[in-house]
């Protein structure tokens, strides 16, 4: 493959057909950083309104660094992977304190910031600062595996080494930012996982998989693990018209988000037994489990959850925060003010609507 010709063909296509995105064409490292973090595991169309809203709420690093974690999580609500939002806040404060409010320009320093991995660091360095750094994400791996007919399975060390080598070889010096974005666009719009549009592909003449007709077999996917499905319960505890909600511990899944207290049903337990145990561990009190409020389903990337929420009444001492970070009693209208994950937001919605038993899937 003639390297300069490959990048010329790709860049010419990108010049004509690049997708419009609110962060495209910007060189402000803050905006590029926010967009890249939002785009991790998330589709462009989903990110678009979140990005615009975020930039109006927190237009620069200083404003973000001064924001509360609650406001930041609230602005992120619905995007998932909430550790990203907590890390963005941590990073903004770090940049404010350690880099005099200026985004570091050196890729090694960028990589050391919380929540920024190799891919994101290369994206920021190349797009914002013009560094000759190649980005390699899922889309780009797919394009490279096809163009170079790489037979090693994704995730293997051999495949990763080849991706790094090839990406470095084809990167046009001085145009890395544009080139990386062009590769992302190609993977997202033309060289798609199923039925790639080879007939309109700008790099078709360099593509070995096209030549061999094995596009459907590239990249080679590793064997799929079985996705676990967890049964979970939650307690809707009401007192004088107010509902008890608790904040999850900072680390881990949905850290810092608010929820109706509860947890996983262990093997052999009924929902009621699980709820009594969970509430005792989490809030140090005893509940009597009543009627079902609703059953809710949500698929995370690596597991699925079915959660059943029940009305519960406290029959022990006053609840206290043992495992929960904070707790509070709020009216049904105030629930909207607290950042929540998908399922807890669905429970809130059921309570707000005041309907009967709810069955919802996010
Ligand atoms: Fe992908 Fe087809 Fe283009 Fe090859 S020719 S890079 S398989 S879209």
């Amino acid at each position: 493959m003639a390297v300069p010709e490959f990048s010329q063909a790709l860049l010419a296509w990108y010049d004509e057909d690049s997708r419009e995105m609110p962060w495209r064409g910007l060189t402000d490292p803050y905006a590029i950083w926010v967009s890249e973090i939002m785009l991790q595991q998330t589709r462009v169309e989903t990110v678009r309104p979140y990005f615009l809203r975020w930039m109006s709420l927190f237009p620069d690093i200083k404003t973000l660094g001064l924001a509360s974690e609650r406001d930041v999580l609230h602005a992120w609500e619905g995007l998932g992977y909430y550790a990203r939002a907590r890390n963005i806040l941590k990073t903004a404060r770090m940049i404010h304190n350690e880099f005099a409010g200026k985004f570091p320009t050196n890729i090694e320093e960028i990589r050391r910031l919380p929540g920024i991995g190799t891919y994101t660091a290369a994206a920021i360095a190349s797009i914002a600062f013009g560094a000759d750094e190649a980005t390699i994400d899922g889309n780009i791996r797919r394009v490279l595996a096809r163009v170079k007919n790489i037979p090693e399975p994704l995730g293997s060390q051999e495949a990763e080494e080849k991706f790094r080598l090839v990406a470095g070889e084809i990167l046009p010096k001085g145009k890395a930012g544009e080139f990386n974005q062009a590769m992302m666009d190609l993977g997202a719009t033309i060289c798609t996982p199923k039925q790639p549009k080879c007939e309109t592909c700008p790099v078709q003449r360099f593509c070995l998989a096209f030549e061999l007709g094995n596009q459907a077999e590239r990249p080679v996917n590793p064997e799929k693990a079985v996705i676990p499905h967890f049964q979970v319960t939650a307690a809707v505890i009401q007192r004088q018209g107010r509902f008890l909600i608790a904040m999850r511990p900072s680390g881990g899944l949905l850290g810092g988000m608010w929820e109706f207290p509860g947890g996983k049903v262990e093997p052999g337990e009924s929902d009621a037994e699980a709820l009594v145990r969970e509430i005792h561990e989490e809030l140090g009190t005893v509940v009597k489990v009543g009627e079902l409020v609703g059953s809710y389903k949500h698929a995370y990337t690596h597991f699925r959850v079915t959660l059943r929420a029940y009305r519960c009444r406290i029959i022990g001492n006053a609840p206290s925060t043992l495992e929960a970070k904070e707790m509070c009693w709020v009216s049904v209208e105030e629930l909207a003010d607290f950042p929540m994950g998908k399922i807890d937001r669905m429970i809130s919605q059921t309570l707000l609507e005041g309907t009967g038993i709810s069955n919802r899937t996010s």
Side-chain angles (χ1 to χ4, degrees), residues 143 146-147 186 190-191 196-198 201 203-204 207 209-210 215:
V143 174
R146 287 174 174 165
V147 170
L186 185 73
I190 303 275
C191 195
K197 303 171 188 71
C198 300
C201 177
V203 295
Q204 186 208 79
C207 180
F210 177 77
Q215 303 94 316

Side-chain angles (χ1 to χ4, degrees), residues 120-143:
T120 307
I124 297 169
S126 63
I127 301 169
F129 303 118
D132 288 327
E133 297 287 345
T135 54
I136 306 175
D137 70 348
N139 278 333
I140 295 175
R141 282 187 181 87
R142 184 169 58 255
V143 174

Side-chain angles (χ1 to χ4, degrees), residues 218-235:
R218 296 288 178 270
V220 175
N221 288 307
E223 279 181 25
K224 273 199 181 152
V226 178
I227 297 179
H229 188 156
F230 298 118
Q231 302 297 316
V232 180
T233 57

Side-chain angles (χ1 to χ4, degrees), residues 103-121:
F103 207 97
T105 55
N106 177 291
I107 189 160
E108 295 309 325
E109 283 178 336
I110 298 174
R111 203 177 280 145
R112 280 200 290 274
L113 296 170
I116 297 186
T118 307
Y119 168 82
T120 307

Side-chain angles (χ1 to χ4, degrees), residues 283-316:
L283 300 169
T285 189
V286 181
V287 288
K288 185 168 172 40
V289 180
E291 76 206 32
L292 183 70
V293 173
S295 177
Y296 307 88
K297 291 187 175 169
H298 181 57
Y300 294 89
T301 311
H302 301 297
F303 60 93
R304 294 197 182 94
V305 165
T306 297
L307 180 146
R308 288 171 293 280
Y310 295 86
R311 294 262 178 197
C312 289
R313 192 161 53 83
I314 292 176
I315 55 172

Side-chain angles (χ1 to χ4, degrees), residues 43-159:
R43 293 163 57 84
V44 167
E45 289 317 311
T46 307
V47 167
R48 204 183 285 271
Y50 277 92
F51 175 82
L52 292 171
R53 192 160 153 263
W54 183 279
M55 294 306 286
S56 66
L57 287 170
F58 315 116
D60 49 42
I61 290 176
K62 189 174 175 202
T63 318
L64 177 59
L66 294 171
S68 69
E69 183 174 286
R70 182 166 150 183
D71 286 345
V72 167
L73 287 172
H74 216 203
W76 201 272
E77 185 179 319
L79 265 183
Y81 302 98
Y82 294 93
R84 295 184 296 176
R86 292 194 303 277
N87 277 331
I88 277 200
L89 180 58
K90 211 191 283 179
T91 299
R93 289 176 179 166
M94 193 188 263
I95 291 174
H96 190 63
N97 295 330
E98 295 177 24
F99 296 92
K102 286 216 159 32
F103 207 97
T105 55
N106 177 291
I107 189 160
E108 295 309 325
E109 283 178 336
I110 298 174
R111 203 177 280 145
R112 280 200 290 274
L113 296 170
I116 297 186
T118 307
Y119 168 82
T120 307
I124 297 169
S126 63
I127 301 169
F129 303 118
D132 288 327
E133 297 287 345
T135 54
I136 306 175
D137 70 348
N139 278 333
I140 295 175
R141 282 187 181 87
R142 184 169 58 255
V143 174
L144 295 178
R146 287 174 174 165
V147 170
K148 287 295 213 174
N149 187 31
I150 293 175
E152 287 84 3
L154 288 176
S156 67
Q157 211 182 331
E158 293 82 359

